[in-house]
Amino acid sequence: MPSIAVKLYSLFFKFLLKHRLQNRIQTHVDESSNQYGVTTRPEESVSAANPSFTDGIATKDIHIDPSTALSVRIFLPESSLSPPEPKSKPGSSQQDESDSLNHRRNSYPNIGAPTNDSRRSSLEGSKLRSDNNVYQGYSPLPQNCRRLPIMLQFHGGGWVSGSNDSVANDIFCRRIAKLCDVIIVAVGYRLAPENKYPAAFEDGLKVLYWLAKQANLAECSKSMGSGALGVGAEFTKTQVQRHLVDAFGASMVEPWLAAHGDPSRCVLLGVSCGANIADYVARKAVEAGRLLDPVKVVAQVLMYPFFIGNVPTRSEINLANSYFYDKPMCLLAWKLFLPEEEFSLDHPAANPLVPDRGPPLKFMPPTLTVVAEHDWMRDRAIAYSEALRKVNVDAPVLEYKDAVHEFATLDMLLNTPQAQACAEDIAIWVKKYISLRGHEFSY
């Protein structure tokens, strides 16, 4: 059973959440006049972006859609400053590579981490701009940089709260970025009830297409022989003419992603209701096919998905009054999120197993599902994973004993051993699909 502290905090959390949800319901929102939307709430504790490598991770915020509040926060690990990884030798088997790597890791525990010399060399090859306080932080110059997989992360919060720059989400993303050795693009999607379904889902897909656009623009910029990609860099008149610019004269190419991102190894990770968005984006990526090139979604992680349905499962009956997000509270959240004329617990956004929901399940990417023992939504998430396995999709389930909904991402629970273990388990599985050396890790 959860500890006394968790039980007490759960009661306090429920009281606050119920109060906020009821206030949202009572407040009339004119959606037609608020398409711009909001991505965070005043009561949310946020963490400021820091483009220098604090705690091994640099972060920056980008507003990617001028017509809405949609934004992203990029988490760039310091390991990206290391020299590029050597490619596997032709003809060598994955097992040989795995055995060799494991031997090197056992012999040299720091293998894979950038040395002081390589970090210093990379930093000398970059610019830490501070002129007129316009920009301070890491800005790469064109060079043979190490490229990391990209992970799109969708935060939780029951559709009506949470943000990609909250303190809790910032800590979680830093942890995952380090353990998985990936660039994380945390999506700040629009919240309900200001923007109901399908706004959050469309925002998630829009970021995936933005990622593809960035990759193509970076290739165009290379072929044009442009100079430094960073916003604020000094160019000659000829360079400016060659450089890709938007209507305001700022660089359209995101320099961190251009220098260090590998969109052909893209992973989706969703937390709670963010898992519903991740699954939707994965389905749309399957439908899009080559239209998303060079982006390729190689795997997704669904952490305690916010699934529900008209026919209740056993856990929905037995655990309806569970910790933090109980069933009555979540029903309020769904009423705020779904348009009144579309409200149904078997809505495609809510129930992953309704018929005619999208492409056949056999085309879905490998899917890791994380569930908690005391989460009333767990059985439907497990059922979805079983449906994927029936059509030969790699879809394991990690179930954590004595755990509650959002046990690895909620602010109070972030520093528990269970939260850390969950992040490490996710990293082990994800590396099966993003490693350049083959399947180094497996269960």
Side-chain angles (χ1 to χ4, degrees), residues 116-185:
N116 289 336
D117 289 341
S118 67
R119 283 180 182 173
R120 190 181 302 113
S121 173
S122 296
L123 284 171
E124 287 172 356
S126 65
K127 290 186 179 181
L128 292 172
R129 299 197 186 95
S130 57
D131 299 337
N132 302 320
N133 292 322
V134 172
Y135 176 74
Q136 295 180 347
Y138 171 65
S139 183
L141 293 177
Q143 55 185 339
N144 195 18
C145 296
R146 184 182 179 210
R147 293 192 172 273
L148 300 179
I150 298 173
M151 177 180 286
L152 294 192
Q153 188 263 356
F154 305 93
H155 65 82
W159 306 120
V160 299
S161 61
S163 69
N164 65 332
D165 59 357
S166 69
V167 172
N169 199 64
D170 188 83
I171 294 171
F172 172 72
C173 287
R174 286 175 179 272
R175 178 179 292 169
I176 293 293
K178 287 180 184 178
L179 289 171
C180 294
D181 201 20
V182 296
I183 298 172
I184 289 185
V185 178

Side-chain angles (χ1 to χ4, degrees), residues 91-417:
S92 63
S93 68
Q94 289 184 350
Q95 183 63 44
D96 290 338
E97 290 287 340
S98 176
D99 292 344
S100 172
L101 183 66
N102 288 334
H103 170 73
R104 290 162 62 202
R105 279 187 174 150
N106 292 335
S107 303
Y108 308 100
N110 293 325
I111 193 77
T115 63
N116 289 336
D117 289 341
S118 67
R119 283 180 182 173
R120 190 181 302 113
S121 173
S122 296
L123 284 171
E124 287 172 356
S126 65
K127 290 186 179 181
L128 292 172
R129 299 197 186 95
S130 57
D131 299 337
N132 302 320
N133 292 322
V134 172
Y135 176 74
Q136 295 180 347
Y138 171 65
S139 183
L141 293 177
Q143 55 185 339
N144 195 18
C145 296
R146 184 182 179 210
R147 293 192 172 273
L148 300 179
I150 298 173
M151 177 180 286
L152 294 192
Q153 188 263 356
F154 305 93
H155 65 82
W159 306 120
V160 299
S161 61
S163 69
N164 65 332
D165 59 357
S166 69
V167 172
N169 199 64
D170 188 83
I171 294 171
F172 172 72
C173 287
R174 286 175 179 272
R175 178 179 292 169
I176 293 293
K178 287 180 184 178
L179 289 171
C180 294
D181 201 20
V182 296
I183 298 172
I184 289 185
V185 178
V187 180
Y189 56 85
R190 288 169 291 170
L191 303 177
E194 291 85 352
N195 294 98
K196 294 179 178 286
Y197 174 86
F201 285 62
E202 290 176 344
D203 287 350
L205 186 59
K206 190 176 292 184
V207 173
L208 190 67
Y209 275 95
W210 175 81
L211 193 62
K213 177 183 176 182
Q214 286 297 317
N216 287 309
L217 285 174
E219 287 302 313
C220 289
S221 189
K222 279 183 185 178
S223 64
M224 292 169 68
S226 61
L229 295 174
V231 177
E234 295 182 1
F235 298 93
T236 64
K237 184 176 180 181
T238 304
Q239 285 176 317
V240 170
Q241 290 173 346
R242 289 185 305 179
H243 199 63
L244 294 173
V245 294
D246 64 13
F248 299 97
S251 172
M252 291 176 66
V253 182
E254 206 303 299
W256 290 7
L257 295 178
H260 299 294
D262 181 359
S264 68
R265 294 181 289 160
C266 181
V267 178
L268 309 178
L269 185 149
V271 176
S272 189
C273 64
N276 298 41
I277 301 175
D279 189 62
Y280 170 84
V281 172
R283 288 172 181 267
K284 290 301 180 182
V286 169
E287 292 176 353
R290 297 292 298 276
L291 294 176
L292 275 171
D293 281 352
V295 172
K296 183 179 180 182
V297 176
V298 297
Q300 67 169 338
V301 180
L302 308 180
M303 299 183 68
Y304 19 82
F306 212 63
F307 295 152
I308 196 171
N310 274 329
V311 180
T313 63
R314 181 176 297 180
S315 65
E316 289 173 3
I317 296 171
N318 296 337
L319 300 172
N321 194 33
S322 56
Y323 304 96
F324 295 101
Y325 292 90
D326 59 29
K327 189 171 182 179
M329 215 92 68
C330 293
L331 286 173
L332 283 178
W334 278 109
K335 287 178 180 178
L336 286 166
F337 177 64
L338 293 175
E340 188 174 351
E341 63 277 9
E342 294 184 37
F343 182 79
S344 168
L345 297 185
D346 277 338
H347 191 283
N351 190 344
L353 296 174
V354 292
D356 303 322
R357 189 169 176 258
L361 292 181
K362 65 181 180 180
F363 297 119
M364 290 295 285
T367 301
L368 173 66
T369 303
V370 175
V371 296
E373 181 184 9
H374 298 289
D375 183 2
W376 65 269
M377 293 174 271
R378 61 188 295 278
D379 282 1
R380 200 171 299 273
I382 293 172
Y384 181 47
S385 182
E386 289 173 350
L388 290 170
R389 288 198 297 276
K390 284 180 181 178
V391 291
N392 298 319
V393 175
D394 181 23
V397 175
L398 294 180
E399 182 175 354
Y400 291 83
K401 188 175 177 58
D402 292 332
V404 298
H405 190 80
E406 289 223 45
F407 71 92
T409 45
L410 207 59
D411 50 3
M412 180 202 178
L413 305 175
L414 268 171
N415 294 321
T416 61

Side-chain angles (χ1 to χ4, degrees), residues 12-165:
F12 176 70
F13 182 91
K14 283 184 180 182
F15 174 79
L16 282 181
L17 182 60
K18 184 177 181 179
H19 177 71
R20 290 169 183 169
L21 289 174
Q22 288 176 338
N23 282 345
R24 302 264 188 272
I25 289 176
Q26 292 169 4
T27 303
H28 175 71
V29 178
D30 184 0
E31 293 180 63
S32 61
S33 64
N34 195 28
Q35 285 302 307
Y36 189 81
V38 296
T39 59
T40 188
R41 299 293 181 193
E43 64 268 14
E44 198 82 47
S45 297
V46 298
S47 176
N50 187 347
S52 57
F53 288 99
T54 303
D55 193 29
I57 301 288
T59 59
K60 70 160 71 168
D61 293 332
I62 304 175
H63 180 206
I64 67 172
D65 183 7
S67 62
T68 70
L70 175 62
S71 64
V72 298
R73 170 164 291 187
I74 300 177
F75 294 79
L76 179 69
E78 195 171 8
S79 61
S80 61
L81 304 184
S82 302
E85 294 181 359
K87 293 182 179 179
S88 301
K89 295 180 181 179
S92 63
S93 68
Q94 289 184 350
Q95 183 63 44
D96 290 338
E97 290 287 340
S98 176
D99 292 344
S100 172
L101 183 66
N102 288 334
H103 170 73
R104 290 162 62 202
R105 279 187 174 150
N106 292 335
S107 303
Y108 308 100
N110 293 325
I111 193 77
T115 63
N116 289 336
D117 289 341
S118 67
R119 283 180 182 173
R120 190 181 302 113
S121 173
S122 296
L123 284 171
E124 287 172 356
S126 65
K127 290 186 179 181
L128 292 172
R129 299 197 186 95
S130 57
D131 299 337
N132 302 320
N133 292 322
V134 172
Y135 176 74
Q136 295 180 347
Y138 171 65
S139 183
L141 293 177
Q143 55 185 339
N144 195 18
C145 296
R146 184 182 179 210
R147 293 192 172 273
L148 300 179
I150 298 173
M151 177 180 286
L152 294 192
Q153 188 263 356
F154 305 93
H155 65 82
W159 306 120
V160 299
S161 61
S163 69
N164 65 332
D165 59 357

